[in-house]
Amino acid sequence: MPRGRPRDASRDEALRAAALSVLADVGYRALTMDAVAATARAGKATIYRRWDSKLDLVIDSCNQLVSRSIPAPNTGSLAGDLREFLLAFATFLSGPAGKAAQALVGELPHEQELADAFRKSFLRSQRDVLRGVLERAAARGELTEDAPQAMVVELAGAALTYRLMLTGDPLDAEFVDTLVDRILVPLLVGAV
Amino acid sequence: MPRGRPRDASRDEALRAAALSVLADVGYRALTMDAVAATARAGKATIYRRWDSKLDLVIDSCNQLVSRSIPAPNTGSLAGDLREFLLAFATFLSGPAGKAAQALVGELPHEQELADAFRKSFLRSQRDVLRGVLERAAARGELTEDAPQAMVVELAGAALTYRLMLTGDPLDAEFVDTLVDRILVPLLVGAV
């Protein structure tokens, strides 16, 4: 997390972009602050004034990228919110970020600190967005009382991840529509 | 795939076990036939008489392990079959095989041949088992006519993979029960 000193937002952005570029090239384990500094044509001290460690820098850079690429939806309907969010996520994962995400997840078994941080920040923030979608739908009276909300939230993330990392099948609008209209919404509104 | 010559099944098993052991230690990219031969105290020629390549050996070893660890279910009911199969799979992934599976999947982005073979053999065979479960349930009249069968099969695999590789949450009986009773069966029989 950025800290200390008056901040230069565009400088932070350039450093985050450099971190993501190095991450995509060599992976988390082999990423060094020296390589990030060289890529950003910055001094290492400049990086350390903003982030405590390589872990902080990588997680903050990923979170910023995701929150900018995948805004929280608020369309006024459950199906609309789920479709907008999951389509943005699917599009994001279909691009270069998908390859980086896949490589990062591949490193989690060997990088316990990274795994913990990834779960506490990245996964949790995605889960929180989906929980917000479901809470608003519940307030509008769209959800059946005993809807399996936690499991539906988990499945939404699982479905995207599985295509990205295992099957390689397309993360496209047809897939998102089927997931939303045939699976997620029916489970939540109590009508299959 | 094993080929040629009269076969010695226990010798094949020892070689597969050695391949899985080396795979777990160093990963797919760094696995060599020399290391497998040394681990099995066998000659490299012995391995090549049975498998064409490192890719063949690894995929065949994984498939044999999975088909032995996770038998195809046939309990006579949809919920029973899904529970038995997914619980066996969850138990399998919770053990040492889970770590190896995770490492292997982490290598797929950089190993196109491995990715193709993994999808054509391992993923397809799991999908075929689940399709068989659904076909038998349909023949017994358990499924609603327009059940989203393909997506349900995909979600079953996705749910296990996501816990194993991303959230790290337990792959236990409670999880399998919720998945089967609150998600998969309702979607298939048309009652949420």
Side-chain angles (χ1 to χ4, degrees), chain A residues 99 102-103 105-110 115 118-119 123 127 144 146-148 151-155 157-159 161-169 175 178-179 182-183 186-192, chain B residues 99 102-103 105-110 115 118-119 123 127 144 146-148 151-155 157-159 161-169 175 178-179 182-183 186-192:
Chain A
K99 285 219 175 294
Q102 207 169 349
V105 170
E107 292 187 274
L108 298 186
H110 312 294
F118 178 80
R119 283 161 192 159
L123 281 190
R127 204 162 49 216
T144 188
D146 67 341
M151 189 59 102
V152 168
V153 166
E154 187 168 336
L155 284 181
T161 306
Y162 193 64
R163 287 219 162 187
L164 174 70
M165 301 198 54
L166 275 88
T167 71
D169 290 331
F175 167 66
T178 306
L179 185 61
R182 300 298 314 277
I183 306 287
L187 287 168
L188 291 168
V189 307
V192 163
Chain B
K99 285 220 174 292
Q102 209 170 349
V105 169
E107 292 187 275
L108 298 185
H110 312 294
F118 179 80
R119 283 162 192 158
L123 280 191
R127 203 163 49 216
T144 187
D146 67 341
M151 190 58 102
V152 168
V153 165
E154 186 167 338
L155 283 181
T161 306
Y162 193 64
R163 287 218 161 189
L164 174 70
M165 300 200 55
L166 276 87
T167 70
D169 290 331
F175 167 66
T178 306
L179 185 62
R182 301 297 314 276
I183 305 287
L187 287 168
L188 291 168
V189 306
V192 163

Side-chain angles (χ1 to χ4, degrees), chain A residues 65-176:
Chain A
L65 176 67
V66 169
S67 64
R68 204 175 52 225
S69 309
I70 312 167
N74 198 355
T75 65
S77 81
L78 173 62
D81 279 1
L82 289 174
R83 198 181 322 275
E84 185 174 297
F85 179 70
L86 294 176
L87 194 55
F89 217 130
T91 305
F92 176 74
L93 291 177
S94 299
K99 285 219 175 294
Q102 207 169 349
L104 199 69
V105 170
E107 292 187 274
L108 298 186
H110 312 294
E111 299 283 345
Q112 193 53 52
E113 268 199 323
L114 177 68
D116 291 342
F118 178 80
R119 283 161 192 159
K120 273 190 202 133
S121 66
F122 181 81
L123 281 190
R124 186 174 292 171
S125 70
Q126 300 315 308
R127 204 162 49 216
D128 287 348
V129 170
L130 280 170
R131 278 183 185 153
V133 166
L134 268 54
E135 270 165 28
R136 288 196 300 279
R140 286 189 302 260
E142 287 192 74
L143 304 196
T144 188
E145 203 171 316
D146 67 341
Q149 294 191 30
M151 189 59 102
V152 168
V153 166
E154 187 168 336
L155 284 181
L160 298 186
T161 306
Y162 193 64
R163 287 219 162 187
L164 174 70
M165 301 198 54
L166 275 88
T167 71
D169 290 331
L171 287 157
D172 55 14
E174 186 189 342
F175 167 66
V176 169

Side-chain angles (χ1 to χ4, degrees), chain B residues 32-115:
Chain B
T32 63
M33 293 302 227
D34 283 318
V36 174
T39 302
R41 296 166 189 270
K44 217 157 65 160
T46 309
I47 304 182
Y48 277 113
R49 272 200 296 276
R50 286 162 173 78
W51 294 275
D52 280 328
S53 65
K54 148 179 164 172
L55 180 68
D56 273 346
L57 171 61
V58 166
I59 291 287
D60 181 49
S61 303
C62 291
N63 283 340
Q64 288 278 331
L65 175 66
V66 169
S67 63
R68 204 175 52 226
S69 309
I70 311 167
N74 198 355
T75 64
S77 81
L78 173 63
D81 279 2
L82 289 174
R83 199 181 322 275
E84 185 175 294
F85 179 70
L86 294 175
L87 194 55
F89 216 129
T91 305
F92 175 73
L93 292 177
S94 299
K99 285 220 174 292
Q102 209 170 349
L104 199 69
V105 169
E107 292 187 275
L108 298 185
H110 312 294
E111 299 282 346
Q112 194 53 51
E113 267 199 324
L114 177 68

Side-chain angles (χ1 to χ4, degrees), chain B residues 127-143:
Chain B
R127 203 163 49 216
D128 287 347
V129 170
L130 280 170
R131 279 185 185 154
V133 166
L134 268 54
E135 271 166 27
R136 287 196 301 277
R140 286 189 302 261
E142 286 192 74
L143 304 196

